Amino acid sequence: MFHSGNSLLVCLILSGISLFSQNTIPQGLNAKEKIGWIQFDKSIDNSNFTVCDEWNIEEYYQVNPSYGEGMASIRKYVSAHKQSLEALCEKDGYVIVRFVINCQGQTDRYRTKFMSLNYADENAVNAELQKKIIQLVRDMGNWTPGKYDGKTYDCYQHLKFLFKNSQLVDVLF
């Protein structure tokens, strides 16, 4: 049986845990420059690409956008390009591409990063492979935009391409 002192302690612990929980629903923060924000860059981004609400681009896990039948469709699409990707692989690791899916399912604002298998940050490695992956993702076509509670949202999405022994091993969310 809890005593009143113990009840207060349990409440404090549980409320503290909830403060560190991942935000899994859209919050309407009206904040553009949050962590992970992708600023429009006229030198590399499509000037005709628009989002519905620049101030509220959600994360993929908040609104669940999709592509075709899901990960199986993405892997099938990428497998058709596997050899050309492997030919550009200079070093094993992850090529991570982050991009925006707008409320119509169009994509742009692609940014990549290379991470070695031991998670060391190595941006300059595999530059040609990164360019090829951006082109590949750009050519995928439209996604189904993210929705929550009946509302369609712009959102950020990322795909991770895993290379081991110069072979494309997997594509992950």
Side-chain angles (χ1 to χ4, degrees):
M1 196 56 122
F2 287 112
H3 297 284
S4 63
N6 288 342
S7 299
L8 178 60
L9 180 60
V10 169
C11 287
L12 287 173
I13 291 170
L14 291 177
S15 66
I17 290 170
S18 69
L19 290 175
F20 295 107
S21 300
Q22 183 171 312
N23 173 17
T24 57
I25 61 171
Q27 295 296 307
L29 297 175
N30 291 317
K32 227 164 78 166
E33 297 179 24
K34 59 186 180 182
I35 294 174
W37 174 55
I38 301 175
Q39 180 177 2
F40 173 76
D41 181 341
K42 68 180 179 181
S43 68
I44 57 175
D45 296 330
N46 179 351
S47 61
N48 295 322
F49 176 79
T50 58
V51 293
C52 294
D53 186 354
E54 186 74 49
W55 290 87
N56 287 292
I57 301 175
E58 305 299 334
E59 294 297 331
Y60 68 95
Y61 55 79
Q62 296 172 306
V63 294
N64 298 312
S66 61
Y67 180 80
E69 299 297 318
M71 205 61 208
S73 293
I74 294 170
R75 287 183 176 121
K76 182 178 178 184
Y77 172 78
V78 170
S79 71
H81 305 275
K82 186 176 178 181
Q83 287 182 333
S84 63
L85 293 173
E86 291 173 349
L88 295 171
C89 183
E90 299 167 357
K91 190 170 184 179
D92 292 344
Y94 298 88
V95 175
I96 304 159
V97 60
R98 182 169 165 86
F99 54 98
V100 175
I101 302 170
N102 71 12
C103 60
Q104 288 106 21
Q106 301 162 333
T107 61
D108 200 59
R109 298 189 193 172
Y110 306 94
R111 304 295 186 268
T112 60
K113 178 176 216 123
F114 179 81
M115 194 75 61
S116 66
L117 292 175
N118 65 359
Y119 300 106
D121 186 359
E122 301 176 34
N123 280 325
V125 177
N126 285 345
E128 289 304 312
L129 179 60
Q130 290 180 51
K131 287 179 192 175
K132 177 71 174 177
I133 287 175
I134 286 175
Q135 189 59 52
L136 184 70
V137 174
R138 178 178 278 129
D139 291 346
M140 286 175 75
N142 286 357
W143 287 60
T144 300
K147 290 185 179 186
Y148 181 79
D149 206 20
K151 183 178 177 190
T152 303
Y153 288 89
D154 305 305
C155 66
Y156 293 107
Q157 178 66 51
H158 72 269
L159 296 174
K160 295 177 274 191
F161 293 73
L162 172 58
F163 292 87
K164 288 184 181 176
N165 300 318
S166 297
Q167 301 293 307
L168 177 62
V169 176
D170 205 354
V171 180
L172 311 155
F173 280 130

